[in-house]
Amino acid sequence: MAESSTEGEGLYGSSQSPSRQRDRVTSGDVPVAVYGLGKMGLPLAAVYAETMGNVTGVDVDPAVVETVSDGESHVVGEPGLDDLVAEQVDAGRLTATTDGSAAADAARIHVIIVPTLLDDDNEPNLATVESVADDIAAGLAPGDLVIAESTLPPGTCRDVLRPHLASESGLEPDEFGLAFCPERTSSGTALRDIRGQYPKVVGGVDDESTRAAAIVYDELSDNEVHPVSDATTAESVKVFEGLYRDVNIGLANELGRLADELEISVREAIDTANDLPMCQLHDPGPGVGGHCIPYYPHFLLGRTDEPMAVTETARRVNDEMPAVVVDRLERELAATGTDLADASVIVLGVTYRPGVEETRASPALGIIDGLRERGADIAGVDPLVDPADYGARAVGIDEIADEGFDAAVIVTPHADFDRIDWPALEPMVVLDGRDAVDLSETPHREYDLGGSSDGRPPRGSPDSAGETGSAEPTERAAAADGEPAAHRTDGGNDV
């Protein structure tokens, strides 16, 4: 059986009073290890350090550990995170290491926040989570509490993590606690969200695990803690949140593709429909990106006996959107007498969301691939990543005017793109996937994917192709926080 070098009683099964346990949690008497220092893990570790005062962050990347140990943040676009990391490291409340087993041996609370990705066959791959569990098991002691914040297929804590931790540690399953407490955090607002923007869901594999985890998050979050029946329910809450958004976006994308045929702005219709509180349609877009929404449906699809036709259809519709963008661009170019195979096209935005240095499942990748397959000469511009790494010749924002492109595709409307002087550019076809710009007073042929939201008429049928500055189905870059009505998620954003 593993033994911890840490003195003091753990939270799980503690005989101390709740008030004493809370005092110990906030005084640094209960050491914490946070496994995973990525774009969600580092903010979480920093807030844990701010609240509990004795935190070790663990990451397999030595460069990440070195950066954090120097009091710096490697995560881009998180307001306040640089200062918080510097403050906590300088105060000795936050340290970092690549040695997960050593961190586990010193900790009494173990927090897992590493990604669950998919295999080539779209099956959830738990290898990273299980590797972290191995490290934790090496130092797991009676009374320790393990908290999973990583999004997991429902049943993982009960059927995978608990028996795995018990087997590898030599402890009985009832000697340590295990709870699922999903992160409900968006890139760009991580600190705000962790500190209590939303209620914190807590579900343990047993009642004592739920109780112990609730004590921790009562201190960490300013919002209410919402205990649920068990860990599987908590896991389902997080997956269901993602599925709701994917299905809603799939419906919005399906409706957006009707704009030409109906000769309306679907975006205007959606905005107006959402005047009713019972209607919360999201916005259409060029696809769904990020490490969350495109993945979570597969945590259930093919893993349940019950068919999930709605979820499966929405995933297919959203996966098809990059190809729809390429098809519409080809049609618009043809209307000007230009073959896509002979066209030079610039893709604006490679990351999946404005201001976020993340390209996983970004719609831009499928659009670039589709353009390449049809023979287009592709350039790309993005202030956060190098488009050349994704198959597009890199062009600077201020160099666009010097090149003279046949077409532009707005995929991700970074704030830096506000510098583009559209009226000064050579006339081109502009496919706006986000309803991001109004080019009606410019020489460009504009096509909005889904119809603009500002009252500009959609292009209508392809026969009306001679007009300039008309709009069609588009997508708006919204806050991507999943909130209803005015704060809806759009078809290309994710947390």
Side-chain angles (χ1 to χ4, degrees), residues 394-415:
V395 174
I397 295 173
D398 298 323
E399 300 170 350
I400 296 175
D402 300 329
E403 295 248 0
F405 294 96
D406 296 306
V409 181
I410 301 174
V411 181
T412 311
H414 292 289

Side-chain angles (χ1 to χ4, degrees), residues 45-105:
V47 174
Y48 258 98
E50 176 185 51
T51 306
M52 303 179 70
N54 188 356
V55 175
T56 301
V58 182
D59 201 277
V60 296
D61 188 341
V64 168
V65 168
E66 182 178 358
T67 299
V68 174
S69 297
D70 289 340
E72 299 176 359
S73 168
H74 65 283
V75 178
V76 176
E78 284 298 344
L81 183 58
D82 290 348
D83 290 341
L84 183 59
V85 169
E87 291 166 2
Q88 298 307 310
V89 171
D90 185 61
R93 299 165 69 89
L94 175 63
T95 60
T97 181
T98 57
D99 193 338
S101 297
D105 190 56

Side-chain angles (χ1 to χ4, degrees), residues 323 326 330 340-341 365-376 378:
V326 175
E330 184 172 43
L340 180 58
L365 307 186
I367 291 169
I368 290 171
D369 288 345
L371 291 171
R372 182 188 304 108
E373 289 171 2
R374 301 193 196 188
I378 314 162

Side-chain angles (χ1 to χ4, degrees), residues 347 349-350 368 379-395:
V347 175
V350 177
I368 290 171
V381 56
D382 194 291
L384 299 180
V385 299
D386 184 355
D389 293 337
Y390 304 94
R393 176 174 57 86
V395 174

Side-chain angles (χ1 to χ4, degrees), residues 212-225:
I215 284 180
V216 173
Y217 284 102
D218 265 335
E219 300 302 326
L220 203 72
S221 173
D222 294 331
N223 209 318
E224 66 180 56
V225 171

Side-chain angles (χ1 to χ4, degrees), residues 332 428-432 435-442 444-448 452 456 459 467-472 474:
E332 293 299 304
M428 68 174 99
V429 172
V430 179
L431 192 152
D432 186 351
D435 192 25
V437 295
D438 180 358
L439 303 180
S440 56
E441 302 301 323
T442 73
H444 307 300
R445 177 185 178 83
E446 181 185 7
Y447 181 90
D448 285 333
S452 77
R456 286 176 282 145
R459 182 174 302 283
E467 301 175 39
T468 299
S470 54
E472 229 240 326
T474 71

